[in-house]
Amino acid sequence: MLLSKSCTYAVRAALLISKKKIDSGRNYIPVSELAKELDISFHFLTKILQKLTESKIMNSFRGPNGGITLTRSPEKIKIIEIVDAIDGMKLFESCIFGLPTCSDDHPCPLHKQWKLQRIEILKLFKTNTIHDLTINDDEFNLSGK
Amino acid sequence: MLLSKSCTYAVRAALLISKKKIDSGRNYIPVSELAKELDISFHFLTKILQKLTESKIMNSFRGPNGGITLTRSPEKIKIIEIVDAIDGMKLFESCIFGLPTCSDDHPCPLHKQWKLQRIEILKLFKTNTIHDLTINDDEFNLSGK
DNA sequence: CATATTTAAGACATCAATGTCTTAAATATA
DNA sequence: TATATTTAAGACATTGATGTCTTAAATATG
Ligand code: FES
Ligand code: FES
């Protein structure tokens, strides 16, 4: 898999929070609600979202009417920020054959071509914001069911 | 990682076999020799290469002067064959967010864009042969050191 | 203040990928 | 035939990612 499972959960949760904030007008969304709709283990999602609050992409609030919210407006959060917070940037810097040094000076036989490809993938995550992927999302699937 | 570690080992071994056959004129190359030069565990590499002999990409021969060889000439073996034999084609068919069904009828918010990207990656493996990545390989790094 | 709701934190379990080791089978050659 | 070389096969160990569970802390509300 390109992204870790944890990372895909994180992105899907972020998109759902964005949608739910718009649809319901609430600010904080409980993790239990997200987990249920995304069909993800509640405790596991909690742990993943904690990383996003640590990295200031999300904010949490305890107690009744508490939950998780996005710290910024969805159009100001790029997908790459979430990917970076969970998986890091290694994918976009490393050799497709897993060699320890990937550089133009020390290329493997696919270096030149893979470098171009991974830049395109990076662009995918850098140009799309949470907002971009939330709009029109009635047609879109987030739930795994 | 895009490819599993096992898969990267398999491709690197295939490239080295190709090179060694040309350079030394031998047909069968011992796994121990490959493992040493690629800095991979001998027993582990043995197991991985067994999958490639099962899938008829390589052929093995026991005893003195035995080893592993490519069944076809390097220009007739595409990288995707090795990737498919070890990792399968799932990467090129599945959702970037890990959702169970990835299709135009059931798209996640990144489906359209990711579909284009994964086709390009697939092309990378479909258009390059072992031969393509073996030529001029004095400048190229396979060894992890 | 008592209770219910919610996240935080961390211990623990499970699983698949990776890696190690031992024994068996095949083959060449002296 | 005896020995050395080499792959085949499979048991076993290690590791990191994933998933579960329990307890603590914070907060709202009656
Ligand atoms: S060295 Fe392999 S992709 Fe850069
Ligand atoms: S459904 Fe997500 S990439 Fe196709």
Side-chain angles (χ1 to χ4, degrees), chain A residues 141, chain B residues 93-104 106-115 118:
Chain A
N141 181 25
Chain B
E93 297 157 359
S94 44
C95 174
I96 194 164
F97 294 146
L99 295 171
T101 54
C102 173
S103 72
D104 296 344
H106 217 236
C108 75
L110 258 181
H111 176 76
K112 218 168 173 177
Q113 298 176 65
W114 168 238
K115 197 179 164 189
R118 74 188 183 192

PDB file of all heavy atoms in Angstrom, chain A residues 141, chain B residues 93-104 106-115 118, ligand 2:
ATOM      1  N   ASN A 141     -17.425   8.273  -1.664  1.00  0.00           N
ATOM      2  CA  ASN A 141     -17.434   7.185  -0.714  1.00  0.00           C
ATOM      3  C   ASN A 141     -16.297   7.365   0.281  1.00  0.00           C
ATOM      4  O   ASN A 141     -15.149   7.561  -0.099  1.00  0.00           O
ATOM      5  CB  ASN A 141     -17.231   5.886  -1.510  1.00  0.00           C
ATOM      6  CG  ASN A 141     -17.242   4.679  -0.634  1.00  0.00           C
ATOM      7  OD1 ASN A 141     -17.830   4.697   0.443  1.00  0.00           O
ATOM      8  ND2 ASN A 141     -16.597   3.623  -1.099  1.00  0.00           N
TER       9      ASN A 141
ATOM     10  N   GLU B  93      -4.766  -1.634  -8.590  1.00  0.00           N
ATOM     11  CA  GLU B  93      -6.215  -1.804  -8.677  1.00  0.00           C
ATOM     12  C   GLU B  93      -6.941  -1.223  -7.483  1.00  0.00           C
ATOM     13  O   GLU B  93      -8.161  -1.145  -7.480  1.00  0.00           O
ATOM     14  CB  GLU B  93      -6.563  -3.306  -8.760  1.00  0.00           C
ATOM     15  CG  GLU B  93      -6.022  -3.990 -10.001  1.00  0.00           C
ATOM     16  CD  GLU B  93      -5.883  -5.502  -9.818  1.00  0.00           C
ATOM     17  OE1 GLU B  93      -6.187  -5.998  -8.709  1.00  0.00           O
ATOM     18  OE2 GLU B  93      -5.458  -6.171 -10.780  1.00  0.00           O
ATOM     19  N   SER B  94      -6.183  -0.821  -6.450  1.00  0.00           N
ATOM     20  CA  SER B  94      -6.926  -0.500  -5.228  1.00  0.00           C
ATOM     21  C   SER B  94      -6.894   0.977  -4.864  1.00  0.00           C
ATOM     22  O   SER B  94      -6.065   1.750  -5.333  1.00  0.00           O
ATOM     23  CB  SER B  94      -6.461  -1.378  -4.071  1.00  0.00           C
ATOM     24  OG  SER B  94      -5.083  -1.478  -4.046  1.00  0.00           O
ATOM     25  N   CYS B  95      -7.834   1.303  -4.017  1.00  0.00           N
ATOM     26  CA  CYS B  95      -8.095   2.674  -3.590  1.00  0.00           C
ATOM     27  C   CYS B  95      -6.914   3.234  -2.807  1.00  0.00           C
ATOM     28  O   CYS B  95      -6.341   2.548  -1.970  1.00  0.00           O
ATOM     29  CB  CYS B  95      -9.345   2.687  -2.716  1.00  0.00           C
ATOM     30  SG  CYS B  95      -9.707   4.285  -1.966  1.00  0.00           S
ATOM     31  N   ILE B  96      -6.583   4.480  -3.049  1.00  0.00           N
ATOM     32  CA  ILE B  96      -5.470   5.103  -2.339  1.00  0.00           C
ATOM     33  C   ILE B  96      -5.779   5.259  -0.858  1.00  0.00           C
ATOM     34  O   ILE B  96      -4.865   5.357  -0.034  1.00  0.00           O
ATOM     35  CB  ILE B  96      -5.106   6.455  -2.974  1.00  0.00           C
ATOM     36  CG1 ILE B  96      -3.757   6.922  -2.469  1.00  0.00           C
ATOM     37  CG2 ILE B  96      -6.193   7.493  -2.690  1.00  0.00           C
ATOM     38  CD1 ILE B  96      -3.146   7.998  -3.292  1.00  0.00           C
ATOM     39  N   PHE B  97      -7.068   5.265  -0.514  1.00  0.00           N
ATOM     40  CA  PHE B  97      -7.466   5.359   0.889  1.00  0.00           C
ATOM     41  C   PHE B  97      -7.866   3.996   1.456  1.00  0.00           C
ATOM     42  O   PHE B  97      -8.489   3.915   2.521  1.00  0.00           O
ATOM     43  CB  PHE B  97      -8.616   6.361   1.061  1.00  0.00           C
ATOM     44  CG  PHE B  97      -8.231   7.775   0.754  1.00  0.00           C
ATOM     45  CD1 PHE B  97      -9.130   8.653   0.175  1.00  0.00           C
ATOM     46  CD2 PHE B  97      -6.954   8.248   1.044  1.00  0.00           C
ATOM     47  CE1 PHE B  97      -8.771   9.966  -0.105  1.00  0.00           C
ATOM     48  CE2 PHE B  97      -6.581   9.557   0.762  1.00  0.00           C
ATOM     49  CZ  PHE B  97      -7.493  10.421   0.182  1.00  0.00           C
ATOM     50  N   GLY B  98      -7.524   2.938   0.733  1.00  0.00           N
ATOM     51  CA  GLY B  98      -7.752   1.591   1.247  1.00  0.00           C
ATOM     52  C   GLY B  98      -9.197   1.137   1.281  1.00  0.00           C
ATOM     53  O   GLY B  98      -9.503   0.140   1.928  1.00  0.00           O
ATOM     54  N   LEU B  99     -10.083   1.854   0.631  1.00  0.00           N
ATOM     55  CA  LEU B  99     -11.490   1.442   0.639  1.00  0.00           C
ATOM     56  C   LEU B  99     -11.663   0.161  -0.160  1.00  0.00           C
ATOM     57  O   LEU B  99     -10.955  -0.059  -1.152  1.00  0.00           O
ATOM     58  CB  LEU B  99     -12.379   2.565   0.097  1.00  0.00           C
ATOM     59  CG  LEU B  99     -12.385   3.819   0.974  1.00  0.00           C
ATOM     60  CD1 LEU B  99     -13.090   4.971   0.286  1.00  0.00           C
ATOM     61  CD2 LEU B  99     -13.014   3.539   2.329  1.00  0.00           C
ATOM     62  N   PRO B 100     -12.588  -0.684   0.278  1.00  0.00           N
ATOM     63  CA  PRO B 100     -12.649  -2.041  -0.269  1.00  0.00           C
ATOM     64  C   PRO B 100     -13.044  -2.112  -1.748  1.00  0.00           C
ATOM     65  O   PRO B 100     -12.639  -3.038  -2.444  1.00  0.00           O
ATOM     66  CB  PRO B 100     -13.680  -2.739   0.609  1.00  0.00           C
ATOM     67  CG  PRO B 100     -14.434  -1.655   1.281  1.00  0.00           C
ATOM     68  CD  PRO B 100     -13.528  -0.495   1.387  1.00  0.00           C
ATOM     69  N   THR B 101     -13.855  -1.175  -2.200  1.00  0.00           N
ATOM     70  CA  THR B 101     -14.156  -1.198  -3.631  1.00  0.00           C
ATOM     71  C   THR B 101     -13.686   0.090  -4.273  1.00  0.00           C
ATOM     72  O   THR B 101     -14.066   1.184  -3.875  1.00  0.00           O
ATOM     73  CB  THR B 101     -15.670  -1.344  -3.889  1.00  0.00           C
ATOM     74  OG1 THR B 101     -16.356  -0.323  -3.185  1.00  0.00           O
ATOM     75  CG2 THR B 101     -16.181  -2.702  -3.457  1.00  0.00           C
ATOM     76  N   CYS B 102     -12.824  -0.065  -5.256  1.00  0.00           N
ATOM     77  CA  CYS B 102     -12.317   1.090  -6.000  1.00  0.00           C
ATOM     78  C   CYS B 102     -12.827   0.969  -7.425  1.00  0.00           C
ATOM     79  O   CYS B 102     -12.424   0.078  -8.162  1.00  0.00           O
ATOM     80  CB  CYS B 102     -10.799   1.100  -5.977  1.00  0.00           C
ATOM     81  SG  CYS B 102     -10.071   2.373  -7.032  1.00  0.00           S
ATOM     82  N   SER B 103     -13.720   1.855  -7.794  1.00  0.00           N
ATOM     83  CA  SER B 103     -14.245   1.822  -9.166  1.00  0.00           C
ATOM     84  C   SER B 103     -14.814   3.184  -9.519  1.00  0.00           C
ATOM     85  O   SER B 103     -15.080   4.007  -8.632  1.00  0.00           O
ATOM     86  CB  SER B 103     -15.337   0.768  -9.289  1.00  0.00           C
ATOM     87  OG  SER B 103     -16.499   1.207  -8.624  1.00  0.00           O
ATOM     88  N   ASP B 104     -15.003   3.410 -10.807  1.00  0.00           N
ATOM     89  CA  ASP B 104     -15.573   4.680 -11.250  1.00  0.00           C
ATOM     90  C   ASP B 104     -16.989   4.870 -10.718  1.00  0.00           C
ATOM     91  O   ASP B 104     -17.440   6.000 -10.511  1.00  0.00           O
ATOM     92  CB  ASP B 104     -15.587   4.725 -12.784  1.00  0.00           C
ATOM     93  CG  ASP B 104     -14.173   4.686 -13.364  1.00  0.00           C
ATOM     94  OD1 ASP B 104     -13.215   4.926 -12.599  1.00  0.00           O
ATOM     95  OD2 ASP B 104     -14.028   4.403 -14.562  1.00  0.00           O
ATOM     96  N   HIS B 106     -17.989   3.841  -7.795  1.00  0.00           N
ATOM     97  CA  HIS B 106     -17.954   3.933  -6.342  1.00  0.00           C
ATOM     98  C   HIS B 106     -16.697   4.655  -5.914  1.00  0.00           C
ATOM     99  O   HIS B 106     -15.878   4.110  -5.184  1.00  0.00           O
ATOM    100  CB  HIS B 106     -17.983   2.507  -5.756  1.00  0.00           C
ATOM    101  CG  HIS B 106     -18.777   2.379  -4.508  1.00  0.00           C
ATOM    102  ND1 HIS B 106     -18.240   1.870  -3.349  1.00  0.00           N
ATOM    103  CD2 HIS B 106     -20.056   2.678  -4.209  1.00  0.00           C
ATOM    104  CE1 HIS B 106     -19.152   1.868  -2.411  1.00  0.00           C
ATOM    105  NE2 HIS B 106     -20.271   2.340  -2.903  1.00  0.00           N
ATOM    106  N   PRO B 107     -16.517   5.875  -6.372  1.00  0.00           N
ATOM    107  CA  PRO B 107     -15.223   6.543  -6.198  1.00  0.00           C
ATOM    108  C   PRO B 107     -15.070   7.231  -4.848  1.00  0.00           C
ATOM    109  O   PRO B 107     -16.027   7.787  -4.312  1.00  0.00           O
ATOM    110  CB  PRO B 107     -15.248   7.599  -7.305  1.00  0.00           C
ATOM    111  CG  PRO B 107     -16.694   7.978  -7.409  1.00  0.00           C
ATOM    112  CD  PRO B 107     -17.477   6.721  -7.104  1.00  0.00           C
ATOM    113  N   CYS B 108     -13.862   7.189  -4.308  1.00  0.00           N
ATOM    114  CA  CYS B 108     -13.538   8.042  -3.173  1.00  0.00           C
ATOM    115  C   CYS B 108     -13.139   9.418  -3.749  1.00  0.00           C
ATOM    116  O   CYS B 108     -12.995   9.556  -4.958  1.00  0.00           O
ATOM    117  CB  CYS B 108     -12.401   7.440  -2.349  1.00  0.00           C
ATOM    118  SG  CYS B 108     -10.782   7.620  -3.117  1.00  0.00           S
ATOM    119  N   PRO B 109     -12.945  10.398  -2.875  1.00  0.00           N
ATOM    120  CA  PRO B 109     -12.694  11.750  -3.396  1.00  0.00           C
ATOM    121  C   PRO B 109     -11.411  11.890  -4.234  1.00  0.00           C
ATOM    122  O   PRO B 109     -11.279  12.860  -4.972  1.00  0.00           O
ATOM    123  CB  PRO B 109     -12.605  12.606  -2.132  1.00  0.00           C
ATOM    124  CG  PRO B 109     -13.409  11.870  -1.119  1.00  0.00           C
ATOM    125  CD  PRO B 109     -13.178  10.421  -1.418  1.00  0.00           C
ATOM    126  N   LEU B 110     -10.488  10.973  -4.114  1.00  0.00           N
ATOM    127  CA  LEU B 110      -9.256  11.095  -4.911  1.00  0.00           C
ATOM    128  C   LEU B 110      -9.207  10.084  -6.054  1.00  0.00           C
ATOM    129  O   LEU B 110      -8.190   9.993  -6.748  1.00  0.00           O
ATOM    130  CB  LEU B 110      -8.025  10.901  -4.011  1.00  0.00           C
ATOM    131  CG  LEU B 110      -7.282  12.170  -3.596  1.00  0.00           C
ATOM    132  CD1 LEU B 110      -6.079  11.824  -2.728  1.00  0.00           C
ATOM    133  CD2 LEU B 110      -6.834  12.999  -4.779  1.00  0.00           C
ATOM    134  N   HIS B 111     -10.272   9.345  -6.221  1.00  0.00           N
ATOM    135  CA  HIS B 111     -10.256   8.245  -7.192  1.00  0.00           C
ATOM    136  C   HIS B 111      -9.767   8.659  -8.578  1.00  0.00           C
ATOM    137  O   HIS B 111      -8.865   8.045  -9.135  1.00  0.00           O
ATOM    138  CB  HIS B 111     -11.642   7.618  -7.304  1.00  0.00           C
ATOM    139  CG  HIS B 111     -11.740   6.541  -8.342  1.00  0.00           C
ATOM    140  ND1 HIS B 111     -11.222   5.281  -8.145  1.00  0.00           N
ATOM    141  CD2 HIS B 111     -12.252   6.536  -9.602  1.00  0.00           C
ATOM    142  CE1 HIS B 111     -11.434   4.545  -9.235  1.00  0.00           C
ATOM    143  NE2 HIS B 111     -12.056   5.291 -10.134  1.00  0.00           N
ATOM    144  N   LYS B 112     -10.402   9.704  -9.109  1.00  0.00           N
ATOM    145  CA  LYS B 112     -10.102  10.117 -10.486  1.00  0.00           C
ATOM    146  C   LYS B 112      -8.608  10.413 -10.656  1.00  0.00           C
ATOM    147  O   LYS B 112      -7.971   9.950 -11.602  1.00  0.00           O
ATOM    148  CB  LYS B 112     -10.924  11.360 -10.819  1.00  0.00           C
ATOM    149  CG  LYS B 112     -11.454  11.393 -12.240  1.00  0.00           C
ATOM    150  CD  LYS B 112     -12.493  12.501 -12.393  1.00  0.00           C
ATOM    151  CE  LYS B 112     -12.893  12.655 -13.856  1.00  0.00           C
ATOM    152  NZ  LYS B 112     -13.960  13.683 -14.014  1.00  0.00           N
ATOM    153  N   GLN B 113      -8.060  11.167  -9.709  1.00  0.00           N
ATOM    154  CA  GLN B 113      -6.656  11.569  -9.824  1.00  0.00           C
ATOM    155  C   GLN B 113      -5.702  10.406  -9.567  1.00  0.00           C
ATOM    156  O   GLN B 113      -4.687  10.257 -10.237  1.00  0.00           O
ATOM    157  CB  GLN B 113      -6.375  12.722  -8.859  1.00  0.00           C
ATOM    158  CG  GLN B 113      -7.196  13.966  -9.171  1.00  0.00           C
ATOM    159  CD  GLN B 113      -6.982  15.061  -8.144  1.00  0.00           C
ATOM    160  OE1 GLN B 113      -5.889  15.600  -8.015  1.00  0.00           O
ATOM    161  NE2 GLN B 113      -8.029  15.397  -7.395  1.00  0.00           N
ATOM    162  N   TRP B 114      -6.009   9.611  -8.567  1.00  0.00           N
ATOM    163  CA  TRP B 114      -5.126   8.499  -8.233  1.00  0.00           C
ATOM    164  C   TRP B 114      -5.105   7.461  -9.350  1.00  0.00           C
ATOM    165  O   TRP B 114      -4.059   6.881  -9.655  1.00  0.00           O
ATOM    166  CB  TRP B 114      -5.530   7.853  -6.908  1.00  0.00           C
ATOM    167  CG  TRP B 114      -4.874   6.538  -6.621  1.00  0.00           C
ATOM    168  CD1 TRP B 114      -5.486   5.348  -6.392  1.00  0.00           C
ATOM    169  CD2 TRP B 114      -3.462   6.269  -6.535  1.00  0.00           C
ATOM    170  NE1 TRP B 114      -4.565   4.357  -6.168  1.00  0.00           N
ATOM    171  CE2 TRP B 114      -3.308   4.894  -6.262  1.00  0.00           C
ATOM    172  CE3 TRP B 114      -2.318   7.054  -6.683  1.00  0.00           C
ATOM    173  CZ2 TRP B 114      -2.073   4.294  -6.126  1.00  0.00           C
ATOM    174  CZ3 TRP B 114      -1.070   6.448  -6.545  1.00  0.00           C
ATOM    175  CH2 TRP B 114      -0.954   5.090  -6.272  1.00  0.00           C
ATOM    176  N   LYS B 115      -6.245   7.243  -9.962  1.00  0.00           N
ATOM    177  CA  LYS B 115      -6.314   6.276 -11.049  1.00  0.00           C
ATOM    178  C   LYS B 115      -5.317   6.636 -12.155  1.00  0.00           C
ATOM    179  O   LYS B 115      -4.605   5.766 -12.676  1.00  0.00           O
ATOM    180  CB  LYS B 115      -7.742   6.250 -11.608  1.00  0.00           C
ATOM    181  CG  LYS B 115      -8.047   5.029 -12.458  1.00  0.00           C
ATOM    182  CD  LYS B 115      -9.493   5.067 -12.962  1.00  0.00           C
ATOM    183  CE  LYS B 115      -9.713   4.091 -14.102  1.00  0.00           C
ATOM    184  NZ  LYS B 115     -11.052   4.287 -14.727  1.00  0.00           N
ATOM    185  N   ARG B 118      -1.647   5.885 -10.817  1.00  0.00           N
ATOM    186  CA  ARG B 118      -1.232   4.489 -10.686  1.00  0.00           C
ATOM    187  C   ARG B 118      -1.035   3.854 -12.059  1.00  0.00           C
ATOM    188  O   ARG B 118      -0.239   2.919 -12.213  1.00  0.00           O
ATOM    189  CB  ARG B 118      -2.223   3.712  -9.806  1.00  0.00           C
ATOM    190  CG  ARG B 118      -3.528   3.395 -10.462  1.00  0.00           C
ATOM    191  CD  ARG B 118      -4.535   2.806  -9.467  1.00  0.00           C
ATOM    192  NE  ARG B 118      -5.764   2.446 -10.153  1.00  0.00           N
ATOM    193  CZ  ARG B 118      -6.909   2.130  -9.555  1.00  0.00           C
ATOM    194  NH1 ARG B 118      -6.991   2.147  -8.236  1.00  0.00           N
ATOM    195  NH2 ARG B 118      -7.969   1.811 -10.256  1.00  0.00           N
TER     196      ARG B 118
HETATM  197  S1  FES E   2     -12.016   4.539  -4.748  1.00  0.00           S
HETATM  198 FE1  FES E   2     -10.297   5.531  -3.883  1.00  0.00          FE
HETATM  199  S2  FES E   2      -8.903   5.506  -5.496  1.00  0.00           S
HETATM  200 FE2  FES E   2     -10.601   4.451  -6.374  1.00  0.00          FE
END
